[in-house]
Amino acid sequence: MSSDASQHFMAPTIVWLRKDLRIFDNAALTAAAAKGAPVIPLYILSPDEEGKTASSCASSWWLASSLTSLANDLSGIGAPLVVREGETLSVLREIIHDTGAAAVFWNRHYEPLSIVKERNLKGALAAIGMDVQTFAGNLLYEPWQILSSKCEPYRIFGSFCKALMSLPEPDLPLEAVSRLTPVEHQPTSIPIDELNLAVDERVSKTLPEYWQVGESSARKKLSRFIDERLQGYSTDRDFPACVATSRLSPHLVFGEISARTVFHAVRNAGKNGGSSIVGGANEFLRQLCWREFAYNQLYHYPSIADSPLKSEFESFPWQCDEGMLASWKQGNTGYPLIDAAMRELLTTGWINNRMRMIVASFLVKDLLLSWQEGARWFSERLVDADMANNVLGWQWSAGCGFDCAKYTRIFNPVVQSAKFDPSGDYIRAWVPEVKRLDSKWIHKPWEAPNAVLREANIELGATYPLPLVDHKMARQRALHAFEIMRLAQQATSEKKLQEAGDIGER
Ligand code: FAD
């Protein structure tokens, strides 16, 4: 570099992007742009550093599509996205060396491995003289901002939600970054379609029919949800045949839209609308609070990623039955509602919250298969696979989280089916084998008279499975297993108390 050129050289800032693939309300990108120096938006694929959940196949498809969309948006404002694969620190060092970058900015993440990785990177980059700055950007509040009066994390959702709602409202979202200065010598970048993402071919064929990925789709979806569905949200959200919820979850997971943007848009709609909008808005914000609670729990109890929060569940006698697990995964359990949901999941990468709770209860309580198996399958098949929300949902369903469904609360798949899909339309959409049954029999074909089955072209055990288990028997079996676990826990606690007493007496 000539001395003249070096006088004008402004050292670039690298913005390391991960699950914050957006231009609006992106604190790290905004801060980098504000410096006036060139900006290098960088995405590094490093699955080895992010743990097994990173190799989810449906969400890998989403990631590739989302990066493509972000790359277009960033090119439009002047700084092309650089995409690399490999060990994060090595890639950062290489780009720093090649471009003379003096600063690295990023938005914070809270999965246990991300926390460790960020801490190590901060140290290593500061040691080579980098200006490292991190920002809040993925939650409404940082996980350490919501603690009880004893400065402890909340364990009960109701108290957590009350505490969150009593805080000053989250900061307003930042405007979109409108212009970025590019670096003079653009670092090399891997084409997104050459990234080593494990995308199953079946997934890449079906998912594009159901989803439009990217920030502008997320923003449009939020507006449409507020205009068309917020009013009926509280009453319709559990019914799988209705498109009643926002379906923003994958957009939130990849940070194509920020939680603050969603919060303020819905809060404002609630403030300005009639009473049914207010009800819908309050219920929706409560669900967004579950997301905050999930991150809060994961941050304060990182072991929940794969261990039960209630330790007695460590010894629960989960069964190991590959055949049953496969039937559940593929939607061949013989319970039409369960099968409809599992097939919708396979095809679209998404099911509503009620269906998630019902299929989870069926796996852990009717089949006695472990919640970790279920969580693994969900993280492979959901487009919105998210460690915090997924483990919270599974631990809640299995009864082993702090604030969760009591283990003894076991969903009856037939009752749930009649309640949340009363006409059977949802089942008909996903389980064509039983579509000719009317709403009296569609929830429990095994009880239908032979003439009804013949008329509907169903031969149970041949054209559609017989139920994998009898729910009444399975319920008793689950309660028995739970009781044994409870008694074992009680005996261990009594033994511990006795031992403590013995020591005291000595
Ligand atoms: P909406 O009803 O429109 O809610 C808006 C947003 O609030 C959602 O996008 C989501 O970010 C958040 N939210 C809503 N309900 C919940 C909830 N119960 N817990 C935490 N956050 C919530 N959600 C994921 O994003 N990723 C997962 O991997 C995931 N796994 C789950 C597993 C199980 C067993 C269960 C019971 C729930 C799981 N959830 C998960 C939570 C919830 O089912 C989904 O967030 C929701 O169905 C997404 O649809 P939506 O965007 O239309 O939700």
Side-chain angles (χ1 to χ4, degrees):
M1 204 180 289
S2 72
S3 62
D4 211 25
S6 66
Q7 273 171 13
H8 297 293
F9 177 74
M10 285 185 80
T13 299
I14 296 172
V15 178
W16 175 40
L17 297 160
R18 287 166 293 163
K19 288 186 172 179
D20 39 17
L21 306 178
R22 62 178 181 268
I23 286 171
F24 277 88
D25 197 27
N26 187 326
L29 199 62
T30 301
K35 288 176 69 175
V39 174
I40 307 170
L42 172 66
Y43 183 86
I44 307 170
L45 183 70
S46 49
D48 294 349
E49 294 170 22
E50 275 144 34
K52 38 192 188 296
T53 52
S55 63
S56 150
C57 96
S59 68
S60 297
W61 169 82
W62 192 288
L63 171 63
S65 315
S66 190
L67 286 174
T68 307
S69 164
L70 179 72
N72 283 335
D73 294 346
L74 285 168
S75 292
I77 57 168
L81 176 67
V82 176
V83 178
R84 292 284 184 92
E85 197 161 357
E87 198 223 342
T88 305
L89 182 58
S90 311
V91 174
L92 283 169
R93 278 206 174 114
E94 208 179 297
I95 294 182
I96 290 164
H97 175 264
D98 293 350
T99 62
V104 185
F105 290 3
W106 67 76
N107 297 309
R108 292 185 283 273
H109 285 68
Y110 311 99
E111 285 90 359
L113 286 176
S114 302
I115 292 173
V116 176
K117 181 167 159 176
E118 288 184 29
R119 193 184 307 131
N120 292 342
L121 279 176
K122 240 184 191 173
L125 293 168
I128 55 168
M130 287 290 116
D131 169 18
V132 181
Q133 293 185 36
T134 71
F135 300 84
N138 292 301
L139 296 173
L140 299 174
Y141 301 95
E142 295 298 87
W144 49 88
Q145 287 180 301
I146 306 181
L147 294 172
S148 71
S149 53
K150 290 183 185 156
C151 279
E152 285 169 1
Y154 283 98
R155 293 182 170 202
I156 303 297
F157 173 71
S159 324
F160 174 86
C161 189
K162 205 168 152 200
L164 185 151
M165 290 299 182
S166 67
L167 289 174
E169 285 196 349
D171 290 342
L172 287 170
L174 300 163
E175 281 305 316
V177 173
S178 58
R179 193 77 212 141
L180 292 171
T181 310
V183 270
E184 204 167 312
H185 300 292
Q186 185 65 16
T188 55
S189 180
I190 304 177
I192 292 161
D193 56 8
E194 286 176 23
L195 278 176
N196 191 14
L197 287 165
V199 183
D200 185 321
E201 207 184 292
R202 282 164 305 172
V203 159
S204 56
K205 274 196 187 133
T206 59
L207 294 184
E209 282 176 38
Y210 295 93
W211 299 99
Q212 283 174 337
V213 181
E215 182 169 13
S216 69
S217 307
R219 297 178 70 82
K220 277 186 213 140
K221 203 186 256 187
L222 172 62
S223 302
R224 274 191 69 182
F225 168 69
I226 291 172
D227 292 346
E228 295 169 14
R229 304 200 291 275
L230 187 56
Q231 191 163 5
Y233 180 79
S234 353
T235 44
D236 300 343
R237 56 185 289 269
D238 281 317
F239 292 83
C242 301
V243 178
T245 62
S246 69
R247 304 198 181 198
L248 281 168
S249 49
H251 301 281
L252 280 162
V253 168
F254 285 93
E256 294 172 357
I257 193 161
S258 71
R260 288 194 300 209
T261 303
V262 176
F263 177 95
H264 284 289
V266 172
R267 171 67 111 214
N268 287 343
K271 275 182 189 158
N272 302 326
S275 63
S276 57
I277 297 259
V278 175
N282 288 345
E283 184 58 41
F284 182 88
L285 295 177
R286 194 176 155 79
Q287 298 312 312
L288 213 51
C289 238
W290 272 107
R291 178 177 185 267
E292 297 283 309
F293 185 56
Y295 273 93
N296 202 276
Q297 298 251 297
L298 183 62
Y299 179 80
H300 293 289
Y301 307 100
S303 68
I304 63 168
D306 40 31
S307 307
L309 264 168
K310 287 185 186 147
S311 58
E312 62 267 33
F313 274 84
E314 300 272 15
S315 63
F316 192 85
W318 300 114
Q319 312 277 301
C320 192
D321 187 321
E322 287 300 327
M324 291 236 180
L325 183 61
S327 300
W328 178 79
K329 286 179 175 175
Q330 300 305 322
N332 288 320
T333 66
Y335 283 92
L337 187 74
I338 305 285
D339 293 344
M342 296 310 287
R343 293 181 196 186
E344 183 188 11
L345 172 63
L346 270 178
T347 308
T348 71
W350 185 91
I351 46 179
N352 81 6
N353 188 59
R354 169 66 49 179
M355 293 303 111
R356 292 183 205 212
M357 292 193 298
I358 295 173
V359 299
S361 171
F362 187 79
L363 184 82
V364 296
K365 294 176 181 171
D366 284 59
L367 302 184
L368 280 192
L369 298 175
S370 83
W371 65 270
Q372 288 97 330
E373 288 287 4
R376 263 194 291 281
W377 183 243
F378 268 29
S379 70
E380 208 176 294
R381 290 290 158 172
L382 284 169
V383 279
D384 63 24
D386 174 79
M387 182 185 280
N389 281 0
N390 199 30
V391 293
L392 179 96
W394 278 97
Q395 296 229 18
W396 187 93
S397 303
C400 54
F402 284 142
D403 183 16
C404 57
K406 280 205 175 86
Y407 187 84
T408 46
R409 187 174 164 216
I410 299 176
F411 282 131
N412 179 323
V414 176
V415 173
Q416 294 287 313
S417 188
K419 190 166 174 192
F420 294 108
D421 186 28
S423 62
D425 286 349
Y426 176 66
I427 293 174
R428 283 186 200 93
W430 293 104
V431 190
E433 303 96 298
V434 297
K435 72 176 180 204
R436 292 209 179 94
L437 288 176
D438 64 18
S439 57
K440 180 169 180 199
W441 302 114
I442 199 161
H443 310 289
K444 44 179 182 178
W446 61 93
E447 285 187 12
N450 284 339
V452 171
L453 291 174
R454 256 196 316 277
E455 180 79 4
N457 265 344
I458 299 171
E459 193 186 331
L460 288 177
T463 61
Y464 183 66
L466 279 157
L468 214 49
V469 284
D470 168 53
H471 174 70
K472 214 167 157 195
M473 175 287 292
R475 183 171 187 281
Q476 287 312 321
R477 185 179 61 170
L479 291 175
H480 182 65
F482 177 73
E483 190 55 13
I484 290 177
M485 179 193 77
R486 199 185 63 76
L487 291 173
Q489 164 75 8
Q490 197 176 323
T492 313
S493 313
E494 279 166 9
K495 198 169 159 216
K496 275 191 192 148
L497 274 178
Q498 175 127 35
E499 281 167 4
D502 288 350
I503 292 168
E505 277 170 24
R506 259 186 252 154

